[in-house]
Amino acid sequence: MIKPSLLDYTQKELLTLIKPNFRVKQIFGWLYHNYANNFDDMKNIPKSLKEELAKAYVVNPMKIINKEESIDGTIKYLFELQDGKTIEAVWLKMKDTQFDDNGEVTQEAKYTICVSTQVGCKVGCSFCLTAKGGFTRDLSAGEIVAQVVSLKRDNNHKHNRKINIVYMGMGEPLDNLNNLAKAIEIFKEEEGLAIGGKRQTVSTSGLSNKIDQLGAMDLGVHIAISLHAVDDKLRTELIPMNKAHNINSIIEAVKRFPIDTRKRVMFEYLVIKDKNDDITSAKKLVKLLHGIKAKVNLIFFNPYPDTQYSRPELKDMVNFQEYLIKHGLLCTIRDSKGIDISAACGQLREKDKLDKTQKEMF
Ligand code: SAH
Ligand code: SF4
């Protein structure tokens, strides 16, 4: 039977569902400080209350069924949900632990978790493996939250150690706006994981009306725009719903979005060989982003079997980057973390399916 998860609720909501109140505080501790997987883990909660709760709820709604670790510290996880569907999340090491001359730790390693928001995706980008499997369903807030809790648990990451979240896994976050907003709030809970809005980045393929709606919610999160092209013809080839939400409408929505004055809006630009890797595109990009406090992140297209696109040349990436920097834009090239595993979104899930088919064949 599919049950809601305790991770679906804010502390305030749990107070209305569970009595007495002090038990909610204890349970919240079990969920977010001890990363409890099930009711048995909750040692100081009376058995009778646990039995009562177990009739209506589960604790963690999913389990890790596959894990691939890269030499650079990236770990890609495959989860199975209560209905048997699978999604991915990625543990990314952004900075190594720093030591002084005496071998004392001066700075702990920094991690970012990349989470999924849907099983599959409706947007149907022609370069994206997630799109190939079509759309199955939205993730609940608890299923989004559980990815972070499970990854912190698996990596023994203390609850008070800071972590950043990027909504860049499978699915289009803004197509699941209500559950996304709820998960963002649960992550922000002071007595929970206390991950502030500034540490959370929502990546979108550009549903401009939903960018406005997210902005109106005033959650304090950052946005990243998957721009990928500078003219509507190519962008529509890459991202079909660009027809309804064209480049201009996205740029206007970004200009209206409440942004921390010290921060920049990230524009992701997936570079595909002979499609958008030329200096003319770079020139147009500079023009397009004029007047926006932007940062551009160039991403190598990561090929997979049967794709019509190719990985760009490093020299073209570097030329593109140099042009943007020379013209006043901040620009980084995303280092392909986990390149030796199944790097881009959707690739571990597809590989797992392939492994299964191969197993079935023999
Ligand atoms: N749907 C949202 C967030 C998830 S997509 C969005 O599109 O922004 C996650 C990121 O993976 C996007 O930036 C997308 O451009 C990138 N991506 C998808 N397929 C890729 C591939 N084959 N190679 C490299 N990056 C890819
Ligand atoms: Fe969906 Fe993002 Fe993949 Fe496009 S790139 S199909 S929006 S997950």
Side-chain angles (χ1 to χ4, degrees), residues 118 120-132 168-173 203-206 226 228 238-241 270 345:
Q118 297 178 316
C121 185
K122 280 180 215 161
V123 180
C125 300
S126 55
F127 54 82
C128 174
L129 205 49
T130 299
K132 302 274 175 268
M168 290 185 187
M170 302 167 77
E172 167 51 51
S203 174
T204 177
S205 54
S226 290
H228 306 335
L238 300 175
I239 310 174
M241 63 105 196
L270 180 75
C345 74

Side-chain angles (χ1 to χ4, degrees), residues 198-237:
K198 284 196 188 109
R199 291 189 171 272
Q200 302 188 47
T201 302
V202 175
S203 174
T204 177
S205 54
L207 302 160
S208 39
N209 57 333
K210 299 281 178 77
I211 294 174
D212 282 335
Q213 285 178 31
L214 178 71
M217 290 174 169
D218 223 11
L219 295 164
V221 290
H222 293 306
I223 46 165
I225 306 292
S226 290
L227 193 65
H228 306 335
V230 286
D231 61 78
D232 282 314
K233 188 168 171 279
L234 176 61
R235 197 165 189 276
T236 304
E237 177 195 320

